[in-house]
Structure formats: structure tokens, C-alpha cells
Amino acid sequence: MAALFGKEDAIFVPSGTMGNLCSLLSHCFGRSEEIILGDKSHIFCYEQGAYSQFGGIVSHLLPNQPDGSIRLDQIESARRRDRLHQPTSRLLCLENTHNLSGGRVLPLDYMRQAYEMSHKLGLQVHLDGARLMNATVALQCSPREMTQFCDSISMCFSKGLGAPAGAIVAGDKDFIDRARRMRKALGGGMRQVGILAAAAFVAMENYETKIAADHTNARRIAEAVQALRSPFVYADYPETNFVMLKLCGVPANEVLDQLNTVTPSEEEHHGRGIIVRGFSWANGTQIRLVTHCNISDEDTTWAIKKIAWVAHHLTQRKPASSKMAAL
């Protein structure tokens, strides 16, 4: 599996969160060493600051741009130069695709520039590639074409690929030797790993075709929402498998309640009950929908009908918003 990413070695870990933590602890093995990462990165926002809990690692936050990137000039300025009074800058962390930016893809040229500049500054680069395969399919490149621009990666088998659990960490041999020790210390050295790894190999079969279908279904949903011309809900064109429903004049929880509820009139109209699971986003102003390998073309068609039904009933109940109507 390491060869797929153009790396010397790799290990299996139970989760992407553990994969990121093993990676950071293996890059920064001296206390008070520093990582540079985005303020909307998954590592910072959703992983408990475990790098500080377990490794005494310091984080230097820089603003993520709307596409999930970090400005190169800010990365250069963030690198510490005073080794007496400041932490030692050791690692740049990037994320592709970028979760909190709505599944946006970092282009290969940006990855290359960030990698080359980081190495000139004496920094290593770790890629949180939980949905790396979505990024490569969107860019129509091979995994190794992307991962050549990082020193280590973590990638989840259990996102759109559909495995029940697990992630991979890949890098050079010395790095993986350290990561293997970190995995053991964190409780991830399982004798039963072969069962989960077998499922991961199955998940990787024909991944390009499966992920491309997920992206197509996400675009179908977004295009259908755009065609509604609802004053309350809109969707930008998705780059990968995230559909971000932008709301105006109605809170996300109210829309989610309707998407998760089947009324008798709806069931009579559609001839069946339909439930669409989503996630409140951006302080309740958006809803995130995610397509994956268990969502079929037919499921997508039914989801579109459900969203249209909810949007129609919102229009009947609420006055139109001029802001959203202008969209």
C-alpha cells in the first residue's frame, strides 16, 4: 500500500485521528517543537489538541483561506527564527480535501509550492488526507502525484471508501519506525488488525469509479437545489462529495428536523418515506450533506425529491428573503 503513495513504508491505524497524532508525534519528538497549521484544520478543531496533550507540541495557527489553503507568505513569516526564546518550528500541516471549507481541493501546484518552500525553511510537511482519494479523483491525478509534495500522509479507509474502520500512515522508513512506536503507545497495535486491513483492501478496489460516482451524485443534488430557485436554500457547485446547503431566513436545525421527519402527506405523495441525514454547519447557516459509496443513484434521486419537498413547504410557511432571492 505504501507504494500507492510513493512512500517507503506505511502502517495501519484504527482511525484518522490516531494517524494524524502518530504522525505529529513522530515528526516532533522533542517537547516545545512547533507545528504550523490552519485555524480551520481538522487537526486543530476536532482532535482535542492531542499533539499538546501527549507530545508537548506547540501549534502556530494561520488563517485558512476559503479554499482551505494557507497563504504561502504567512507560512514563511510564521517559521520561528529565534531558537533561544521561541519554540522550534518543525512541521507544516495541510489538509486535502479540506473539511471545514466544504470538501474543497488543494491544487497540485499549491501543494508543490508549499512543499518546496517548507523544505527551504527546514520544515517537514504532513498531509491530513482523510479524503485524499476524493482529492486525487477530482484532480484526475494519481495518489503519488499528490503525495510527492509531502513527507508523511494519513488517509482514512472509512470515509467515502466505505471500510468499517481504519486509516493508513505513510512516509519514509525512519518516520514509520517512529510512528509504529507511537501507535503502540497510543493503544493502536492490534493483533486483530488483519481483519480490518482486509476490509480496507476491499474498499480500495476500483476506488476511482466509486468516488467519481459520489462526486456526480453530489453535483446532481447541488444542481437540483439550484434549479429550485428557493429563497431559503441554495447550493454552490461541489468540488467533491460535500454538498453545502446555504440557508437564509431559516435555521439549520429546523430544516434538518424536516429532512429527518416523514409526514403522512409526504408519504402519500411520494409513495414512501424519505429521510435525508445532514449536519448543521457554519453556526447553523448551512447544512452539510455527504455522498458516499453506500448512496446509490436511486438514493440520490429520492434525496433530491425530499429536499424539494422541504423547500416547497418552507416557501409556503415563510416570507421570501430578498437576500437569498437575489441568488
Side-chain angles (χ1 to χ4, degrees), residues 58-72:
V58 180
S59 58
H60 191 145
L61 296 180
L62 297 176
N64 281 115
Q65 301 304 301
D67 64 353
S69 66
I70 304 172
R71 282 174 44 185
L72 298 178

Side-chain angles (χ1 to χ4, degrees), residues 115 150 190 197 199 234 303 325:
Y115 177 75
C150 60
M190 303 179 294
Y234 183 78

Side-chain angles (χ1 to χ4, degrees), residues 15-297:
S15 69
T17 295
M18 184 180 286
N20 283 330
L21 181 55
C22 286
S23 298
L24 270 56
L25 294 175
S26 300
H27 281 294
C28 304
F29 40 90
R31 296 184 71 84
S32 191
E33 293 190 334
E34 183 180 68
I35 59 174
I36 298 170
L37 72 169
D39 63 345
K40 294 182 175 63
S41 65
H42 194 279
I43 290 174
F44 174 70
C45 293
Y46 296 119
E47 299 180 16
Q48 274 196 17
Y51 48 82
S52 294
Q53 292 186 51
F54 297 102
I57 298 170
V58 180
S59 58
H60 191 145
L61 296 180
L62 297 176
N64 281 115
Q65 301 304 301
D67 64 353
S69 66
I70 304 172
R71 282 174 44 185
L72 298 178
D73 62 322
Q74 292 183 335
I75 296 171
E76 184 174 15
S77 298
R79 193 259 193 187
R80 308 283 190 177
R81 289 168 171 80
D82 184 343
R83 292 185 177 271
L84 178 62
H85 301 94
Q86 297 177 329
T88 302
S89 300
R90 185 68 67 191
L91 182 69
L92 170 67
C93 299
L94 299 175
E95 183 178 330
N96 205 6
T97 63
H98 197 272
N99 181 29
L100 280 179
S101 297
R104 299 288 298 275
V105 180
L106 300 181
L108 286 178
D109 189 55
Y110 172 81
M111 296 285 297
R112 177 188 60 78
Q113 292 180 63
Y115 177 75
E116 291 176 353
M117 186 188 69
S118 295
H119 276 222
K120 287 179 182 177
L121 295 172
L123 303 173
Q124 298 283 288
V125 178
H126 172 68
L127 179 62
D128 177 0
R131 296 178 177 85
L132 173 66
M133 296 317 203
N134 291 91
T136 61
V137 170
L139 294 175
Q140 298 182 334
C141 69
S142 69
R144 66 167 54 214
E145 286 180 271
M146 178 170 292
T147 55
Q148 66 179 313
F149 302 126
C150 60
D151 299 287
S152 64
I153 65 148
S154 64
M155 191 276 292
C156 285
F157 297 113
S158 59
K159 294 289 194 295
L161 293 169
I168 188 173
V169 174
D172 66 32
K173 188 179 184 306
D174 288 343
F175 168 81
I176 292 299
D177 284 346
R178 295 193 297 272
R180 187 174 284 111
R181 285 185 58 82
M182 292 300 105
R183 180 185 66 179
K184 180 66 174 178
L186 295 171
M190 303 179 294
R191 292 187 301 276
Q192 310 87 346
V193 70
I195 298 171
L196 292 175
F201 274 105
V202 172
M204 290 295 292
E205 293 177 356
N206 301 316
Y207 74 86
E208 297 102 329
T209 301
K210 292 185 291 187
I211 289 178
D214 297 340
H215 293 183
T216 297
N217 284 333
R219 289 193 294 270
R220 286 181 57 203
I221 294 172
E223 289 167 356
V225 171
Q226 292 170 6
L228 293 174
R229 301 188 66 81
S230 168
F232 303 104
V233 59
Y234 183 78
D236 288 328
Y237 196 76
E239 292 185 9
T240 55
N241 63 327
F242 282 25
V243 183
M244 307 305 297
L245 301 182
K246 298 183 176 181
L247 308 176
C248 188
V250 57
N253 286 340
E254 180 179 336
V255 179
L256 286 170
D257 286 344
Q258 295 189 44
L259 290 173
N260 289 319
T261 302
V262 178
T263 64
S265 60
E266 177 197 344
E267 192 163 7
E268 181 180 0
H269 178 79
H270 291 130
R272 63 182 295 176
I274 310 166
I275 291 176
V276 175
R277 302 288 188 194
F279 192 81
S280 179
W281 209 252
N283 297 317
T285 63
Q286 299 181 37
I287 291 174
R288 190 188 79 170
L289 305 178
V290 180
T291 57
H292 52 81
C293 64
N294 293 323
I295 303 297
S296 66
D297 293 347

